[in-house]
Amino acid sequence: MDAIYTAEALATGAGRDGHVVTNDGRLDLDLAIPKEMGGAGGATNPEQLFASGYAACFHSALHAVARAQKVDVGDSTVGARVHIGSNGQGGYQLAVELEVVIPELPHEQAQQLADAAHQVCPYSNATRGNIDVTVTVSDD
């Protein structure tokens, strides 16, 4: 692959109870283990960052496929839920739910665009076959 952009980040501290910063300083966050996982909470966590990145990337892919088909997706949104749980072997695994809303389009057309976006989104391509990703189109 010929990279056209490379993002860099450095984690310090104790990983999930630590700090992350990008090389350009635009992202500079404390991290905390969520209360649901036995931590103190009170700061962001890797799953929130992954959900944010996936939602934004998928939304861009949705706009790209819509543009290629000369379709206006108007006030569309993409929400992401990233779940973390036991893999049953002493480790953890992720699962993702993406919710696509394109209020201006009929459900079937919105579903077709979401399916096409799922084929071109870099996050979808990276996770395909590795974690469960569900894409749902909602009407509102």
Side-chain angles (χ1 to χ4, degrees), residues 19-85:
H19 192 85
V20 292
V21 62
T22 56
N23 64 316
D24 63 4
R26 291 188 181 265
L27 181 81
D28 191 342
L29 300 170
D30 288 329
L31 299 175
I33 298 172
K35 288 181 181 182
E36 297 85 349
M37 293 177 68
T44 196
N45 60 67
E47 289 70 37
Q48 290 173 324
L49 295 171
F50 187 64
S52 299
Y54 204 156
C57 189
F58 196 92
H59 204 198
S60 287
L62 181 70
H63 276 268
V65 297
R67 220 175 9 263
Q69 296 181 24
K70 297 185 181 2
V71 175
D72 181 9
V73 292
D75 292 328
S76 61
T77 61
V78 174
R81 292 180 190 91
V82 173
H83 307 281
I84 185 170

Side-chain angles (χ1 to χ4, degrees), residues 8 16 22 113 116 131:
E8 292 183 46
R16 290 179 166 277
T22 56
L113 288 171
I131 65 174

